[in-house]
Amino acid sequence: YSSVERQWVFDHRAVSVKAGHLTKADSLPASGLIDMLFGRGYILMRMEIKNGSKARVIFNPSLTALMDDSMGYFKPLDYTDIYDMAGEDPEKTGFLKDVRKLFYDLTATVEPGETSSRILAFRPLSRNAGAAELIIKDLYIGTDALNLRFPFVLKPASITPKAHQH
């Protein structure tokens, strides 16, 4: 693990996984969905998987969670959650297209030589939370399953990588 520019980076056998908190100041694609999520206090994390290995990398967002130090446990939003948010509002129907384009929703396979970069969205953290950890279970590199943990410190209006402790 290493920390680079507000992101954690995990390198293993020519595979790199980056995770970092996004803010409104980051350059993000124009999206009413992203604007709405920020407006409601949701936590947005960009995750990038760069596969330089000869094996497939498989990431399943349903095996991912954000856990805060107040025992809050949050799964990333998926298509069904966004569909519920959009409801029957015709102005929000574009949200559903944005999910497929911008967010990790279904299991992603990253072929050798490819890079995948998308967003994970989580409900707002507990009020008294001072730290959080992004937990990724069973990230497969070929047949090896890895469990990753990316710790973050919460600050007003942002969360940043926590100093790595051994």
Side-chain angles (χ1 to χ4, degrees), residues 8 21 43 45 65-74 122-126 128-135 149-155 158-163:
W8 276 114
H21 175 246
I43 303 295
M45 306 284 264
L66 190 64
M67 190 166 149
D68 67 34
D69 60 356
S70 294
M71 300 308 292
Y73 184 83
F74 306 91
F122 299 92
R123 296 190 188 287
L125 299 177
S126 308
N128 300 328
E133 194 167 43
L134 180 65
I135 300 164
R149 298 174 87 89
F150 298 100
F152 292 89
V153 174
L154 304 178
K155 295 180 181 176
S158 104
I159 63 178
T160 55
K162 184 177 179 180

mmCIF file of all heavy atoms in Angstrom, residues 8 21 43 45 65-74 122-126 128-135 149-155 158-163:
data_model
loop_
_atom_site.group_PDB
_atom_site.id
_atom_site.type_symbol
_atom_site.label_atom_id
_atom_site.label_comp_id
_atom_site.label_asym_id
_atom_site.label_seq_id
_atom_site.Cartn_x
_atom_site.Cartn_y
_atom_site.Cartn_z
ATOM 1 N N TRP A 8 -5.303 5.992 -2.034
ATOM 2 C CA TRP A 8 -4.533 4.810 -1.671
ATOM 3 C C TRP A 8 -4.227 4.044 -2.930
ATOM 4 O O TRP A 8 -5.059 3.967 -3.839
ATOM 5 C CB TRP A 8 -5.340 3.899 -0.740
ATOM 6 C CG TRP A 8 -5.260 4.294 0.693
ATOM 7 C CD1 TRP A 8 -6.285 4.765 1.469
ATOM 8 C CD2 TRP A 8 -4.112 4.252 1.535
ATOM 9 N NE1 TRP A 8 -5.828 5.018 2.727
ATOM 10 C CE2 TRP A 8 -4.498 4.713 2.807
ATOM 11 C CE3 TRP A 8 -2.782 3.875 1.342
ATOM 12 C CZ2 TRP A 8 -3.618 4.793 3.877
ATOM 13 C CZ3 TRP A 8 -1.903 3.965 2.406
ATOM 14 C CH2 TRP A 8 -2.327 4.417 3.657
ATOM 15 N N HIS A 21 -11.257 9.416 -2.273
ATOM 16 C CA HIS A 21 -12.506 10.149 -2.061
ATOM 17 C C HIS A 21 -12.616 11.281 -3.076
ATOM 18 O O HIS A 21 -11.637 11.969 -3.363
ATOM 19 C CB HIS A 21 -12.502 10.705 -0.636
ATOM 20 C CG HIS A 21 -13.673 11.565 -0.339
ATOM 21 N ND1 HIS A 21 -13.556 12.902 -0.088
ATOM 22 C CD2 HIS A 21 -14.987 11.280 -0.267
ATOM 23 C CE1 HIS A 21 -14.760 13.407 0.138
ATOM 24 N NE2 HIS A 21 -15.639 12.438 0.035
ATOM 25 N N ILE A 43 -21.106 9.783 0.006
ATOM 26 C CA ILE A 43 -19.658 9.671 -0.149
ATOM 27 C C ILE A 43 -19.382 9.037 -1.509
ATOM 28 O O ILE A 43 -19.888 7.949 -1.802
ATOM 29 C CB ILE A 43 -19.046 8.774 0.966
ATOM 30 C CG1 ILE A 43 -19.391 9.311 2.350
ATOM 31 C CG2 ILE A 43 -17.549 8.618 0.767
ATOM 32 C CD1 ILE A 43 -18.813 10.657 2.674
ATOM 33 N N MET A 45 -16.431 7.627 -4.041
ATOM 34 C CA MET A 45 -15.050 7.158 -4.106
ATOM 35 C C MET A 45 -14.766 6.723 -5.532
ATOM 36 O O MET A 45 -15.556 5.982 -6.118
ATOM 37 C CB MET A 45 -14.844 5.943 -3.189
ATOM 38 C CG MET A 45 -15.255 6.147 -1.755
ATOM 39 S SD MET A 45 -14.081 7.105 -0.863
ATOM 40 C CE MET A 45 -13.126 5.834 -0.109
ATOM 41 N N ALA A 65 -17.604 -2.556 0.986
ATOM 42 C CA ALA A 65 -18.335 -1.776 1.981
ATOM 43 C C ALA A 65 -17.467 -0.631 2.472
ATOM 44 O O ALA A 65 -16.239 -0.667 2.370
ATOM 45 C CB ALA A 65 -18.742 -2.658 3.160
ATOM 46 N N LEU A 66 -18.119 0.382 3.009
ATOM 47 C CA LEU A 66 -17.450 1.477 3.691
ATOM 48 C C LEU A 66 -17.911 1.404 5.137
ATOM 49 O O LEU A 66 -19.110 1.450 5.413
ATOM 50 C CB LEU A 66 -17.824 2.822 3.055
ATOM 51 C CG LEU A 66 -17.041 4.036 3.501
ATOM 52 C CD1 LEU A 66 -15.560 3.908 3.118
ATOM 53 C CD2 LEU A 66 -17.610 5.309 2.877
ATOM 54 N N MET A 67 -16.953 1.247 6.041
ATOM 55 C CA MET A 67 -17.297 1.101 7.458
ATOM 56 C C MET A 67 -16.662 2.255 8.224
ATOM 57 O O MET A 67 -15.480 2.545 8.034
ATOM 58 C CB MET A 67 -16.761 -0.226 7.980
ATOM 59 C CG MET A 67 -17.262 -0.575 9.344
ATOM 60 S SD MET A 67 -16.894 -2.311 9.661
ATOM 61 C CE MET A 67 -16.682 -2.230 11.407
ATOM 62 N N ASP A 68 -17.466 2.928 9.044
ATOM 63 C CA ASP A 68 -16.898 4.031 9.819
ATOM 64 C C ASP A 68 -16.644 3.598 11.259
ATOM 65 O O ASP A 68 -17.064 2.520 11.678
ATOM 66 C CB ASP A 68 -17.760 5.292 9.711
ATOM 67 C CG ASP A 68 -19.130 5.179 10.359
ATOM 68 O OD1 ASP A 68 -19.261 4.489 11.393
ATOM 69 O OD2 ASP A 68 -20.074 5.806 9.844
ATOM 70 N N ASP A 69 -15.943 4.446 12.006
ATOM 71 C CA ASP A 69 -15.562 4.089 13.375
ATOM 72 C C ASP A 69 -16.701 4.254 14.375
ATOM 73 O O ASP A 69 -16.521 4.062 15.569
ATOM 74 C CB ASP A 69 -14.313 4.860 13.818
ATOM 75 C CG ASP A 69 -14.490 6.365 13.804
ATOM 76 O OD1 ASP A 69 -15.554 6.855 13.377
ATOM 77 O OD2 ASP A 69 -13.547 7.061 14.212
ATOM 78 N N SER A 70 -17.894 4.593 13.897
ATOM 79 C CA SER A 70 -19.096 4.613 14.741
ATOM 80 C C SER A 70 -19.964 3.397 14.442
ATOM 81 O O SER A 70 -21.162 3.410 14.660
ATOM 82 C CB SER A 70 -19.894 5.902 14.507
ATOM 83 O OG SER A 70 -19.166 7.018 14.937
ATOM 84 N N MET A 71 -19.339 2.375 13.873
ATOM 85 C CA MET A 71 -19.984 1.107 13.524
ATOM 86 C C MET A 71 -20.988 1.222 12.379
ATOM 87 O O MET A 71 -21.821 0.357 12.186
ATOM 88 C CB MET A 71 -20.654 0.451 14.749
ATOM 89 C CG MET A 71 -19.663 0.128 15.869
ATOM 90 S SD MET A 71 -18.233 -0.820 15.327
ATOM 91 C CE MET A 71 -18.994 -2.371 14.937
ATOM 92 N N GLY A 72 -20.902 2.304 11.613
ATOM 93 C CA GLY A 72 -21.721 2.425 10.409
ATOM 94 C C GLY A 72 -21.155 1.509 9.337
ATOM 95 O O GLY A 72 -19.937 1.447 9.158
ATOM 96 N N TYR A 73 -22.020 0.790 8.645
ATOM 97 C CA TYR A 73 -21.599 -0.160 7.612
ATOM 98 C C TYR A 73 -22.445 0.110 6.379
ATOM 99 O O TYR A 73 -23.672 0.000 6.423
ATOM 100 C CB TYR A 73 -21.818 -1.591 8.126
ATOM 101 C CG TYR A 73 -21.346 -2.665 7.190
ATOM 102 C CD1 TYR A 73 -20.005 -3.049 7.167
ATOM 103 C CD2 TYR A 73 -22.227 -3.312 6.332
ATOM 104 C CE1 TYR A 73 -19.560 -4.051 6.317
ATOM 105 C CE2 TYR A 73 -21.793 -4.314 5.477
ATOM 106 C CZ TYR A 73 -20.460 -4.674 5.478
ATOM 107 O OH TYR A 73 -20.015 -5.671 4.627
ATOM 108 N N PHE A 74 -21.795 0.511 5.288
ATOM 109 C CA PHE A 74 -22.513 0.981 4.110
ATOM 110 C C PHE A 74 -22.067 0.221 2.866
ATOM 111 O O PHE A 74 -20.877 0.128 2.586
ATOM 112 C CB PHE A 74 -22.257 2.474 3.915
ATOM 113 C CG PHE A 74 -22.565 3.287 5.131
ATOM 114 C CD1 PHE A 74 -21.576 3.544 6.075
ATOM 115 C CD2 PHE A 74 -23.837 3.756 5.363
ATOM 116 C CE1 PHE A 74 -21.852 4.270 7.221
ATOM 117 C CE2 PHE A 74 -24.130 4.487 6.510
ATOM 118 C CZ PHE A 74 -23.130 4.744 7.438
ATOM 119 N N PHE A 122 -21.685 5.816 -1.630
ATOM 120 C CA PHE A 122 -22.151 5.288 -0.346
ATOM 121 C C PHE A 122 -23.040 6.311 0.339
ATOM 122 O O PHE A 122 -22.819 7.520 0.219
ATOM 123 C CB PHE A 122 -20.954 4.994 0.573
ATOM 124 C CG PHE A 122 -20.016 3.962 0.019
ATOM 125 C CD1 PHE A 122 -18.923 4.331 -0.754
ATOM 126 C CD2 PHE A 122 -20.220 2.613 0.272
ATOM 127 C CE1 PHE A 122 -18.047 3.378 -1.266
ATOM 128 C CE2 PHE A 122 -19.360 1.657 -0.246
ATOM 129 C CZ PHE A 122 -18.269 2.041 -1.014
ATOM 130 N N ARG A 123 -24.007 5.824 1.090
ATOM 131 C CA ARG A 123 -24.872 6.703 1.877
ATOM 132 C C ARG A 123 -24.011 7.502 2.857
ATOM 133 O O ARG A 123 -22.904 7.091 3.180
ATOM 134 C CB ARG A 123 -25.909 5.879 2.633
ATOM 135 C CG ARG A 123 -26.845 5.144 1.691
ATOM 136 C CD ARG A 123 -28.033 4.510 2.393
ATOM 137 N NE ARG A 123 -28.779 3.669 1.467
ATOM 138 C CZ ARG A 123 -29.557 4.106 0.484
ATOM 139 N NH1 ARG A 123 -29.697 5.386 0.300
ATOM 140 N NH2 ARG A 123 -30.196 3.264 -0.301
ATOM 141 N N PRO A 124 -24.528 8.646 3.338
ATOM 142 C CA PRO A 124 -23.745 9.461 4.282
ATOM 143 C C PRO A 124 -23.320 8.652 5.508
ATOM 144 O O PRO A 124 -24.070 7.810 6.006
ATOM 145 C CB PRO A 124 -24.713 10.585 4.669
ATOM 146 C CG PRO A 124 -25.661 10.682 3.508
ATOM 147 C CD PRO A 124 -25.813 9.266 3.005
ATOM 148 N N LEU A 125 -22.111 8.940 5.983
ATOM 149 C CA LEU A 125 -21.573 8.225 7.143
ATOM 150 C C LEU A 125 -22.237 8.685 8.432
ATOM 151 O O LEU A 125 -22.936 9.705 8.464
ATOM 152 C CB LEU A 125 -20.057 8.463 7.224
ATOM 153 C CG LEU A 125 -19.251 7.973 6.023
ATOM 154 C CD1 LEU A 125 -17.786 8.327 6.202
ATOM 155 C CD2 LEU A 125 -19.412 6.479 5.827
ATOM 156 N N SER A 126 -21.996 7.946 9.509
ATOM 157 C CA SER A 126 -22.525 8.283 10.830
ATOM 158 C C SER A 126 -22.034 9.669 11.247
ATOM 159 O O SER A 126 -20.915 10.053 10.932
ATOM 160 C CB SER A 126 -22.071 7.250 11.868
ATOM 161 O OG SER A 126 -22.374 5.950 11.425
ATOM 162 N N ASN A 128 -20.980 10.996 14.061
ATOM 163 C CA ASN A 128 -19.814 11.115 14.939
ATOM 164 C C ASN A 128 -18.577 10.422 14.386
ATOM 165 O O ASN A 128 -17.587 10.288 15.088
ATOM 166 C CB ASN A 128 -20.142 10.543 16.320
ATOM 167 C CG ASN A 128 -21.293 11.287 16.964
ATOM 168 O OD1 ASN A 128 -21.458 12.481 16.751
ATOM 169 N ND2 ASN A 128 -22.091 10.579 17.743
ATOM 170 N N ALA A 129 -18.633 9.983 13.156
ATOM 171 C CA ALA A 129 -17.511 9.238 12.589
ATOM 172 C C ALA A 129 -16.289 10.136 12.415
ATOM 173 O O ALA A 129 -16.400 11.270 11.972
ATOM 174 C CB ALA A 129 -17.913 8.628 11.251
ATOM 175 N N GLY A 130 -15.119 9.602 12.787
ATOM 176 C CA GLY A 130 -13.866 10.329 12.618
ATOM 177 C C GLY A 130 -12.949 9.637 11.629
ATOM 178 O O GLY A 130 -11.958 10.200 11.185
ATOM 179 N N ALA A 131 -13.274 8.393 11.300
ATOM 180 C CA ALA A 131 -12.466 7.617 10.356
ATOM 181 C C ALA A 131 -13.377 6.615 9.656
ATOM 182 O O ALA A 131 -14.450 6.274 10.161
ATOM 183 C CB ALA A 131 -11.339 6.889 11.079
ATOM 184 N N ALA A 132 -12.929 6.175 8.501
ATOM 185 C CA ALA A 132 -13.684 5.173 7.743
ATOM 186 C C ALA A 132 -12.694 4.285 7.009
ATOM 187 O O ALA A 132 -11.527 4.636 6.838
ATOM 188 C CB ALA A 132 -14.632 5.840 6.747
ATOM 189 N N GLU A 133 -13.179 3.116 6.614
ATOM 190 C CA GLU A 133 -12.332 2.176 5.900
ATOM 191 C C GLU A 133 -13.121 1.582 4.742
ATOM 192 O O GLU A 133 -14.232 1.098 4.924
ATOM 193 C CB GLU A 133 -11.896 1.079 6.868
ATOM 194 C CG GLU A 133 -10.766 0.243 6.369
ATOM 195 C CD GLU A 133 -10.163 -0.617 7.491
ATOM 196 O OE1 GLU A 133 -10.931 -1.199 8.285
ATOM 197 O OE2 GLU A 133 -8.937 -0.694 7.538
ATOM 198 N N LEU A 134 -12.530 1.657 3.551
ATOM 199 C CA LEU A 134 -13.107 1.014 2.379
ATOM 200 C C LEU A 134 -12.612 -0.423 2.392
ATOM 201 O O LEU A 134 -11.407 -0.666 2.398
ATOM 202 C CB LEU A 134 -12.669 1.721 1.093
ATOM 203 C CG LEU A 134 -13.215 1.148 -0.210
ATOM 204 C CD1 LEU A 134 -14.732 1.309 -0.286
ATOM 205 C CD2 LEU A 134 -12.554 1.833 -1.409
ATOM 206 N N ILE A 135 -13.538 -1.369 2.424
ATOM 207 C CA ILE A 135 -13.204 -2.787 2.524
ATOM 208 C C ILE A 135 -13.643 -3.477 1.236
ATOM 209 O O ILE A 135 -14.810 -3.384 0.846
ATOM 210 C CB ILE A 135 -13.919 -3.421 3.741
ATOM 211 C CG1 ILE A 135 -13.485 -2.714 5.023
ATOM 212 C CG2 ILE A 135 -13.651 -4.919 3.807
ATOM 213 C CD1 ILE A 135 -14.382 -2.994 6.207
ATOM 214 N N ARG A 149 -8.058 -3.298 2.294
ATOM 215 C CA ARG A 149 -8.609 -2.327 3.242
ATOM 216 C C ARG A 149 -7.899 -1.003 3.026
ATOM 217 O O ARG A 149 -6.681 -0.944 3.091
ATOM 218 C CB ARG A 149 -8.422 -2.809 4.662
ATOM 219 C CG ARG A 149 -9.160 -4.116 4.944
ATOM 220 C CD ARG A 149 -8.825 -4.645 6.330
ATOM 221 N NE ARG A 149 -9.686 -4.089 7.352
ATOM 222 C CZ ARG A 149 -10.850 -4.614 7.724
ATOM 223 N NH1 ARG A 149 -11.273 -5.713 7.163
ATOM 224 N NH2 ARG A 149 -11.571 -4.052 8.660
ATOM 225 N N PHE A 150 -8.681 0.040 2.766
ATOM 226 C CA PHE A 150 -8.142 1.376 2.552
ATOM 227 C C PHE A 150 -8.682 2.292 3.652
ATOM 228 O O PHE A 150 -9.861 2.655 3.628
ATOM 229 C CB PHE A 150 -8.575 1.925 1.187
ATOM 230 C CG PHE A 150 -8.073 1.124 0.006
ATOM 231 C CD1 PHE A 150 -8.898 0.207 -0.633
ATOM 232 C CD2 PHE A 150 -6.799 1.315 -0.486
ATOM 233 C CE1 PHE A 150 -8.452 -0.504 -1.733
ATOM 234 C CE2 PHE A 150 -6.340 0.603 -1.597
ATOM 235 C CZ PHE A 150 -7.161 -0.301 -2.215
ATOM 236 N N PRO A 151 -7.847 2.683 4.645
ATOM 237 C CA PRO A 151 -8.327 3.535 5.737
ATOM 238 C C PRO A 151 -8.332 5.023 5.359
ATOM 239 O O PRO A 151 -7.439 5.490 4.645
ATOM 240 C CB PRO A 151 -7.314 3.263 6.860
ATOM 241 C CG PRO A 151 -6.064 2.874 6.147
ATOM 242 C CD PRO A 151 -6.480 2.220 4.859
ATOM 243 N N PHE A 152 -9.337 5.756 5.824
ATOM 244 C CA PHE A 152 -9.459 7.191 5.580
ATOM 245 C C PHE A 152 -9.763 7.912 6.879
ATOM 246 O O PHE A 152 -10.468 7.393 7.739
ATOM 247 C CB PHE A 152 -10.591 7.475 4.577
ATOM 248 C CG PHE A 152 -10.291 6.986 3.189
ATOM 249 C CD1 PHE A 152 -10.621 5.696 2.800
ATOM 250 C CD2 PHE A 152 -9.668 7.811 2.271
ATOM 251 C CE1 PHE A 152 -10.334 5.231 1.526
ATOM 252 C CE2 PHE A 152 -9.374 7.352 0.990
ATOM 253 C CZ PHE A 152 -9.710 6.072 0.617
ATOM 254 N N VAL A 153 -9.244 9.141 7.009
ATOM 255 C CA VAL A 153 -9.547 10.026 8.128
ATOM 256 C C VAL A 153 -10.613 10.995 7.642
ATOM 257 O O VAL A 153 -10.518 11.522 6.531
ATOM 258 C CB VAL A 153 -8.288 10.814 8.566
ATOM 259 C CG1 VAL A 153 -8.635 11.835 9.624
ATOM 260 C CG2 VAL A 153 -7.221 9.864 9.065
ATOM 261 N N LEU A 154 -11.619 11.246 8.471
ATOM 262 C CA LEU A 154 -12.676 12.174 8.084
ATOM 263 C C LEU A 154 -12.328 13.573 8.566
ATOM 264 O O LEU A 154 -11.935 13.766 9.707
ATOM 265 C CB LEU A 154 -14.006 11.738 8.693
ATOM 266 C CG LEU A 154 -14.440 10.315 8.363
ATOM 267 C CD1 LEU A 154 -15.746 9.990 9.050
ATOM 268 C CD2 LEU A 154 -14.580 10.128 6.874
ATOM 269 N N LYS A 155 -12.475 14.523 7.665
ATOM 270 C CA LYS A 155 -12.277 15.929 7.987
ATOM 271 C C LYS A 155 -13.519 16.651 7.494
ATOM 272 O O LYS A 155 -14.226 16.141 6.630
ATOM 273 C CB LYS A 155 -11.048 16.484 7.258
ATOM 274 C CG LYS A 155 -9.745 15.861 7.698
ATOM 275 C CD LYS A 155 -8.608 16.470 6.912
ATOM 276 C CE LYS A 155 -7.301 15.831 7.327
ATOM 277 N NZ LYS A 155 -6.190 16.322 6.521
ATOM 278 N N SER A 158 -14.482 16.506 3.726
ATOM 279 C CA SER A 158 -13.643 15.618 2.925
ATOM 280 C C SER A 158 -13.161 14.432 3.742
ATOM 281 O O SER A 158 -13.184 14.459 4.961
ATOM 282 C CB SER A 158 -12.453 16.391 2.345
ATOM 283 O OG SER A 158 -11.268 16.120 3.024
ATOM 284 N N ILE A 159 -12.721 13.404 3.052
ATOM 285 C CA ILE A 159 -12.039 12.304 3.731
ATOM 286 C C ILE A 159 -10.749 12.045 2.986
ATOM 287 O O ILE A 159 -10.703 12.132 1.766
ATOM 288 C CB ILE A 159 -12.918 11.040 3.872
ATOM 289 C CG1 ILE A 159 -13.315 10.451 2.544
ATOM 290 C CG2 ILE A 159 -14.131 11.311 4.696
ATOM 291 C CD1 ILE A 159 -14.136 9.178 2.660
ATOM 292 N N THR A 160 -9.679 11.816 3.719
ATOM 293 C CA THR A 160 -8.361 11.668 3.111
ATOM 294 C C THR A 160 -7.711 10.381 3.589
ATOM 295 O O THR A 160 -8.052 9.867 4.646
ATOM 296 C CB THR A 160 -7.461 12.865 3.485
ATOM 297 O OG1 THR A 160 -7.421 12.981 4.907
ATOM 298 C CG2 THR A 160 -7.989 14.166 2.907
ATOM 299 N N PRO A 161 -6.764 9.875 2.810
ATOM 300 C CA PRO A 161 -6.080 8.640 3.238
ATOM 301 C C PRO A 161 -5.436 8.827 4.606
ATOM 302 O O PRO A 161 -4.850 9.858 4.888
ATOM 303 C CB PRO A 161 -5.011 8.424 2.164
ATOM 304 C CG PRO A 161 -5.538 9.108 0.959
ATOM 305 C CD PRO A 161 -6.286 10.311 1.492
ATOM 306 N N LYS A 162 -5.590 7.843 5.436
ATOM 307 C CA LYS A 162 -5.009 7.852 6.774
ATOM 308 C C LYS A 162 -3.567 7.346 6.663
ATOM 309 O O LYS A 162 -3.287 6.482 5.854
ATOM 310 C CB LYS A 162 -5.835 6.884 7.640
ATOM 311 C CG LYS A 162 -5.434 6.826 9.078
ATOM 312 C CD LYS A 162 -6.414 5.887 9.778
ATOM 313 C CE LYS A 162 -6.061 5.751 11.232
ATOM 314 N NZ LYS A 162 -6.994 4.862 11.910
ATOM 315 N N ALA A 163 -2.696 7.895 7.488
ATOM 316 C CA ALA A 163 -1.306 7.435 7.478
ATOM 317 C C ALA A 163 -1.292 5.921 7.703
ATOM 318 O O ALA A 163 -1.973 5.415 8.594
ATOM 319 C CB ALA A 163 -0.504 8.144 8.561
#
